[in-house]
Amino acid sequence: MAMTLAEKIIARGAGLSEVFPDEVHWVDVDLAMIHDSGGPRRIWPMLDDLGVGVWDPDRVVLVADHYVPAQDTGAARILQTTRSFAAEFGITTFYEAEGISHTLLVEKGHLRPGMLYVGGDSHTCTGGVLGCLALGMGSTDLLGVLVTGRTWLRVPHTIDVHLEGSLRRGVTAKDLMLTMIGEKGMAGAVYRVLEFSGPAVSAMSIDERSVLTNMCAEIGAKTGVIAVDEVTISHFQDLGIEVDEGPSSDSDARFLETWHYDASETVPVIARPDRHDDVVPAADFDNTPIGRAYIGACTGAKYADLAMAAEVLAGRRVARGVVLQVAPASVGALSRAMADGTAQILLESGAQLLSTGCGACPGIGSGVLGPGEVCISTTSRNSRGRMGSPESKVYLGSAYAVAAAAVAGEIIDPLTLMGVPA
Amino acid sequence: MKPLQGRVWKFGDDIDTDLIIPGRFLVLEPSEIALHVMEGIRPGFAELVGEGDIVVAGDNFGSGSSREMAPRALRKVGIVAVVARSFSRIFFRNSINVGLAPVECPDAHVIEEGQSIRIDFDRGEVVIVETGKRLVAVSLPDELAAIMEAGGMVEFLRTRVNGSQP
């Protein structure tokens, strides 16, 4: 029977030869990720209550990324609990302040094609970039996985998202996803899996592709997947990991719908406060001053994003009255940016370098917004109060758009600073 | 599952978990966090509601962050069920796990704030007490109803940690 990539992974996890959309199955989990916010401090008391340990510590990755570095004693206590949990339960794969979980799991080679991976965070879907089924859940679901190695899944329908053409210089995967979300709405794919394919996807780096899967959370999708291709194989080769092609959708698999987008026609876009599906072309803005420009998060501070910002900021200065902050998504991204001069360009333009981690994106770490502040950000969500004060405003765009706004002091089409005809 | 009856608090579409519990409060203890429930969209909500009340909402309730404190805080201040046209999947799972009934009801928009509704799980319906109007509610699959009926995921696991796997 023909199946989609997602169906094949669930069927294997359930020990069945085939599965059908809307069925509920208990499945075996290959890898689980928990982080400092929803992980040990919530799960440990429940483990104690049940009097049980972790089913397989080698299949658990623990990441401290939300509360690093501690901003107050409350955060410090959360980090202490996180470290103690790793020691107590023998979780050897533990990263503290080395990066955001979703970026680290891709960068460090923990995910493999065909894996059934669950994580205690809504942006876990990012991992689908490597051909695995990556599913975000909450703390108590992760408790269940840590205790039994199993969880229940409702088999989702898959939507085939075909991205034709190629992105122009200055236009990004972020612009594609915001455009799609603007058109479909933030509930545009609730319970669905988006499977991305087509020439525009093939041409993207892993960093850029991971924005497609990452922002599946913002369109309500269960997750996003991209089948393994040469770019994926080469990513694993660079890590010294041999992988096979992994599962892919059969040519006659049952897709619920097919969405077509032409990447060549995509333009730089901005999501306006307070909805990430309120999306308009950056070129339409006229006199929208910003005081804060934020380059951060799993969505928007990977190496590729830092390089985009540097492309705009090279030889330019951040406008007077604007604070530009850069919180790299991982130490790996920062190291690359330091090795090739990208980081130097950012600093010389006047950017503040913040520590790696989730930072201001969830309104927790460094760089949160005060009342009345207007920010343009490379992050993925802008509902009221998300990044700090309920009286702040957040616009969302690509790293090009954020860097361009930082230079201009207002939202502009980044292409105007890049010598690209609009 | 036993029917639930309660007073309605009405919200719109796309109520995300940042609105239900803003991230800046997550550093606090759970009992303190609950005092800020719905602060992003209706400040003072924690003081207005009582035990047994029900939230009614539109599409995509609970989207955004996976923070389980969103359904936990709603339950903590007395909310026993959320009746919505549709749910974000992580919130839906979290609700079942923490014992807050998520009820998918395609016609939830006709229910008004301040009305009383009765949720009859076995019959798969939501009844507006004042008008007698009956609305179809989507039944939980058996696998999920088993977790709800156990009282949430912790109790569900407790019955199984010494026996066979779920």
Side-chain angles (χ1 to χ4, degrees):
Chain A
M1 188 68 203
M3 286 192 285
T4 65
L5 198 170
E7 288 164 353
K8 287 182 183 180
I9 295 176
I10 294 174
R12 181 183 59 77
L16 297 169
S17 57
E18 57 183 330
V19 293
F20 295 89
D22 294 331
E23 289 175 349
V24 173
H25 294 293
W26 283 89
V27 295
D28 290 329
V29 169
D30 297 314
L31 185 74
M33 183 281 294
I34 53 175
H35 61 51
D36 53 345
S37 185
R41 66 170 168 150
R42 305 287 184 224
I43 294 172
W44 198 345
M46 296 191 280
L47 284 171
D48 282 352
D49 178 22
L50 291 170
V52 293
V54 172
W55 112 99
D56 186 350
D58 294 336
R59 288 177 184 268
V60 179
V61 177
L62 174 60
V63 182
D65 55 6
H66 279 65
Y67 287 94
V68 292
Q71 309 268 321
D72 52 37
T73 52
R77 266 201 298 272
I78 290 167
L79 292 174
Q80 286 175 305
T81 302
T82 307
R83 293 177 203 123
S84 304
F85 184 89
E88 176 78 16
F89 292 95
I91 312 242
T92 51
T93 311
F94 169 43
Y95 299 106
E96 177 170 342
E98 277 192 61
I100 302 168
S101 64
H102 315 302
T103 309
L104 282 177
L105 268 94
V106 170
E107 207 175 84
K108 300 279 192 183
H110 295 298
L111 299 176
R112 302 297 161 80
M115 246 185 188
L116 202 161
Y117 159 58
V118 302
D121 192 281
S122 62
H123 283 117
T124 300
C125 48
T126 311
V129 69
L130 298 178
C132 53
L133 192 70
L135 303 168
M137 295 178 182
S139 304
T140 307
D141 262 329
L142 264 296
L143 166 77
V145 172
L146 292 196
V147 172
T148 65
R150 291 162 66 77
T151 195
W152 63 267
L153 294 179
R154 179 144 79 185
V155 181
H157 286 277
T158 299
I159 295 172
D160 175 17
V161 182
H162 202 73
L163 305 180
E164 298 286 352
S166 58
L167 290 169
R168 290 182 296 152
R169 185 168 156 254
V171 186
T172 67
K174 178 75 171 282
D175 296 302
L176 262 171
M177 284 311 288
L178 284 176
T179 300
M180 191 181 300
I181 295 163
E183 184 188 313
K184 305 287 185 185
M186 57 172 82
V190 169
Y191 296 133
R192 313 301 184 214
V193 168
L194 301 188
E195 182 169 339
F196 298 92
S197 64
V201 180
S202 304
M204 283 179 197
S205 65
I206 293 290
D207 271 3
E208 271 288 85
R209 290 172 182 203
S210 72
V211 178
L212 304 179
T213 48
N214 173 278
M215 291 195 75
C216 281
E218 277 60 55
I219 196 165
K222 188 180 188 100
T223 190
V225 289
I226 300 175
V228 171
D229 68 0
E230 285 151 27
V231 175
T232 330
I233 301 268
S234 142
H235 164 81
F236 282 108
Q237 275 170 351
D238 291 347
L239 292 168
I241 298 169
E242 281 292 315
V243 293
D244 58 27
E245 283 180 1
S248 58
S249 292
D250 295 319
S251 56
D252 52 348
R254 304 160 298 231
F255 288 102
L256 185 71
E257 293 171 28
T258 300
W259 295 352
H260 289 278
Y261 286 89
D262 187 347
S264 318
E265 288 177 8
T266 306
V267 298
V269 292
I270 304 289
R272 295 186 287 208
D274 301 317
R275 289 184 65 99
H276 61 258
D277 60 358
D278 181 12
V279 176
V280 288
D284 288 1
F285 282 82
D286 181 27
N287 193 23
T288 304
I290 53 103
R292 191 83 78 88
Y294 186 82
I295 296 173
C298 50
T299 314
K302 302 168 300 311
Y303 170 77
D305 304 297
L306 306 183
M308 287 174 202
E311 203 177 326
V312 171
L313 293 168
R316 295 192 169 101
R317 290 285 304 175
V318 172
R320 190 182 294 272
V322 174
V323 172
L324 169 64
Q325 293 168 322
V326 180
S330 70
V331 170
L334 178 60
S335 297
R336 258 182 94 183
M338 288 176 76
D340 72 0
T342 296
Q344 194 63 29
I345 293 170
L346 301 179
L347 293 174
E348 281 171 5
S349 76
Q352 298 174 3
L353 183 62
L354 307 185
S355 54
T356 185
C358 305
C361 174
I364 288 174
S366 300
V368 295
L369 303 174
E373 282 201 79
V374 179
C375 175
I376 181 167
S377 173
T378 64
T379 56
S380 62
R381 293 180 188 150
N382 63 350
S383 61
R384 192 163 173 264
R386 163 81 182 172
M387 291 180 69
S389 167
E391 278 77 48
S392 59
K393 294 276 175 222
V394 179
Y395 293 84
L396 304 173
S398 72
Y400 288 126
V402 171
V407 167
E410 62 177 309
I411 297 176
I412 60 166
D413 184 343
L415 300 185
T416 60
L417 293 187
M418 299 177 67
V420 182
Chain B
M1 282 168 62
K2 279 192 206 156
L4 294 172
Q5 183 168 327
R7 175 176 54 154
V8 166
W9 300 90
K10 182 103 181 263
F11 293 86
D13 293 333
D14 302 312
I15 302 300
D16 73 10
T17 54
D18 281 306
L19 297 174
I20 301 171
I21 281 294
R24 61 186 181 281
F25 299 121
L26 292 175
V27 72
L28 303 173
E29 292 302 315
S31 55
E32 295 173 272
I33 291 175
L35 302 176
H36 299 282
V37 69
M38 292 295 191
E39 191 161 305
I41 183 133
R42 198 181 293 188
F45 187 69
E47 275 95 66
L48 295 172
V49 294
E51 182 61 32
D53 287 0
I54 294 169
V55 162
V56 172
D59 276 313
N60 200 27
F61 189 84
S63 59
S65 162
S66 64
R67 66 190 65 148
E68 194 174 276
M69 278 300 141
R72 274 195 195 281
L74 285 168
R75 185 66 204 88
K76 193 110 186 161
V77 298
I79 302 294
V80 289
V82 179
V83 176
R85 282 165 56 93
S86 66
F87 288 89
S88 166
R89 53 167 284 277
I90 297 180
F91 185 92
F92 187 82
R93 297 184 70 108
N94 286 344
S95 296
I96 290 169
N97 288 342
V98 306
L100 173 74
V103 181
E104 239 180 278
C105 176
D107 294 321
H109 56 282
V110 308
I111 304 168
E112 289 169 23
E113 171 127 342
Q115 287 183 323
S116 284
I117 56 174
R118 191 175 68 250
I119 304 165
D120 191 323
F121 296 94
D122 294 340
R123 296 170 70 158
E125 65 179 23
V126 172
V127 182
I128 303 174
V129 174
E130 283 80 358
T131 63
K133 191 172 175 62
R134 292 166 190 277
L135 311 173
V136 173
V138 180
S139 295
L140 282 181
D142 293 345
E143 293 88 345
L144 282 50
I147 301 171
M148 258 323 284
E149 277 164 19
M153 180 59 91
V154 172
E155 297 313 314
F156 179 78
L157 288 169
R158 198 186 309 280
T159 62
R160 280 157 177 78
V161 284
N162 296 317
S164 59
Q165 283 196 329

